[in-house]
Amino acid sequence: MSSSVSAPSGFPEKQGLYDPALEHDACGVAFVADIAGRASHDIVDQGLTALVNMEHRGASGAEPDSGDGAGILVQLPDAFLRAVAPVELPPLGSYAVGTAFLPTSPRAAVDAQLAVERIAAEEGLAVLCWRDLPIDADGAGVGPTARSVMPVFRQVFLTCGEGCEELSQHDLERRAYVTRKRVEHEAGTYFPSLSARTLVYKGMLTTGQLEVFFPDLLDERFVSALALVHSRFSTNTFPSWPLAHPYRYIAHNGEINTVKGNRNWMRAREALLRGPHALPDDLSRLFPICAPGASDSASFDEVLELLHMAGRSLPHAVLMMV
C-alpha cells in the first residue's frame, strides 16, 4: 500500500523500493563580507558571482532551466527600500520587511494578505504597505516546471502597531518572528525572511537565473556589507520555491543524517518550552517549531532561530546546536 508524504513540493507517493524519506545528495555555499562593515553593491555583486561559480554544486533534472534552488541573504538595503517603497518608511531598525510567497489565485492572495495583516496586528505590529516585487521570469529563462509552481511575490513592510510604544530592533525582530511563524502555520503563507536586519531573495532557480529573476539585486542602490549565497542540490526533499536556501540564519551544504531523531526530540521538548521575556508566554502558537515537510537545513535553521530569539547570543545558540 502506498502513502502520500506531505511536503511543500509534493513528493511522489511511497511505492515499491522508493521511499521519499530516504532522499540524499549535496550543495554549494559561499559567504562574502566587508570586515569593516561597509555596505556596497560590490559585496552583493561578488556574492552573486560566487553563486554563479557554484553552478556545478547545484542541480537540475532533465529540464536544465528549472533548478533545485538558488538564493542570497543580505543586510536590509535601507536606501534602496526607501526609494522603492510606496510610503515613507520609519528609521532603519524601526521597520521589518519580507517577501511573501502568495497563491497565484487573486482571491486566495488577497485572503493571505489579510491574514498577514490580522496576525501582525495581534502581535502588536502594523502593515505600512505592500510592494509588488518585480520579477523577470522570461529574462531569466525559468523553466516550465519551476513556473508551474511559482508563487506570486509581494513584499510587506511592518512597524510598531497602534498604541504600541517604540520598539527596539530586538523586540521588533522577535515580534516579526512570531508573526511569521503564525502566518506559516495559520495561513499557509511562506516568507523566506521577515526581519528588521536581513532580507532573503531565493527560489526554485539555477545559480545564473537568480539575479535576472529578481531585478532588485542588480540595482546599484541595493547594498550590503555581507552576502550569503547558496546553490542547492536537493537532498532530503524535492526542489520547491520555499526550500531553496538561504534560510533566516544559515545556508547549509551538507546532510544531517540524524534529522528524524532531531525533529522528534524537538517535538518532544515543545511541551517543556516556556516563554521568557524575549518571547510570548504562549509559545504553542509557534508550534511545531520544525515545519512538516521541510528539509534538514530548514529544521536546523528553525531551531537555531528559536534559541536566538529566546535571548541567547548567536554563538551560544550555534554551540547548543552542535
Side-chain angles (χ1 to χ4, degrees):
M1 179 183 293
S2 64
S3 60
S4 60
V5 177
S6 175
S9 56
F11 283 115
E13 291 184 344
K14 181 178 180 180
Q15 52 188 310
L17 297 177
Y18 176 76
D19 185 341
L22 303 177
E23 293 289 338
H24 296 283
D25 278 308
C27 319
V29 62
F31 181 67
V32 182
D34 185 307
I35 59 174
R38 295 166 298 196
S40 69
H41 185 69
D42 284 343
I43 291 292
V44 178
D45 189 53
Q46 289 175 38
L48 292 170
T49 298
L51 178 64
V52 171
N53 289 338
M54 292 192 299
E55 181 180 6
H56 64 290
R57 298 303 303 161
S60 56
E63 186 182 294
D65 47 5
S66 286
D68 276 15
I72 183 170
L73 178 148
V74 295
Q75 292 174 315
L76 236 61
D78 182 60
F80 170 79
L81 293 173
R82 290 183 185 284
V84 299
V87 301
E88 184 176 351
L89 298 177
L92 179 64
S94 298
Y95 70 91
V97 60
T99 302
F101 283 10
L102 297 172
T104 54
S105 160
R107 177 58 186 272
V110 169
D111 289 344
Q113 287 182 218
L114 291 174
V116 171
E117 294 176 7
R118 173 183 58 80
I119 292 171
E122 290 172 0
E123 298 301 334
L125 298 176
V127 172
L128 285 165
C129 63
W130 289 86
R131 174 195 177 219
D132 290 320
L133 185 67
I135 63 166
D136 186 0
D138 292 335
V142 177
T145 298
R147 284 176 187 255
S148 70
V149 289
M150 184 173 72
V152 170
F153 306 92
R154 297 203 78 197
Q155 279 181 340
V156 66
F157 294 79
L158 302 175
T159 192
C160 184
E162 185 178 351
C164 165
E165 296 180 4
E166 187 174 347
L167 298 172
S168 69
Q169 188 182 57
H170 295 289
D171 289 334
L172 176 59
E173 194 76 2
R174 291 183 180 108
R175 291 197 191 197
Y177 163 68
V178 174
T179 297
R180 195 199 80 234
K181 293 293 286 188
R182 287 190 59 196
V183 167
E184 289 177 6
H185 295 328
E186 298 173 29
T189 298
Y190 181 82
F191 278 88
S193 63
L194 183 58
S195 171
R197 298 171 178 164
T198 58
L199 187 57
V200 172
Y201 286 74
K202 70 177 189 178
M204 192 174 161
L205 304 164
T206 64
T207 59
Q209 289 174 339
L210 182 73
E211 61 185 303
V212 180
F213 186 84
F214 293 115
D216 283 5
L217 299 174
L218 298 176
D219 195 299
E220 290 292 329
R221 298 168 297 179
F222 196 97
V223 302
S224 176
L226 61 86
L228 175 64
V229 296
H230 187 273
S231 173
R232 187 172 191 230
F233 196 128
S234 297
T235 53
N236 295 287
T237 53
F238 270 30
S240 75
W241 287 86
L243 292 183
H245 296 216
Y247 292 101
R248 291 97 194 185
Y249 285 88
I250 70 157
H252 171 233
N253 71 336
E255 184 174 356
I256 303 172
N257 293 316
T258 57
V259 61
K260 184 176 292 187
N262 294 350
R263 288 172 178 153
N264 289 341
W265 273 114
M266 190 63 226
R267 188 66 172 153
R269 292 186 184 106
E270 287 177 354
L272 303 176
L273 295 181
R274 297 294 181 268
H277 70 279
L279 287 173
D281 289 331
D282 181 18
L283 288 177
S284 63
R285 64 186 189 279
L286 305 182
F287 299 159
I289 298 299
C290 297
S295 66
D296 53 353
S297 303
S299 295
F300 184 98
D301 187 75
E302 287 172 318
V303 177
L304 175 64
E305 182 179 38
L306 175 72
L307 295 175
H308 183 49
M309 288 295 170
R312 295 172 176 84
S313 70
L314 198 53
H316 183 182
V318 169
L319 287 172
M320 289 178 68
M321 296 297 295
V322 174

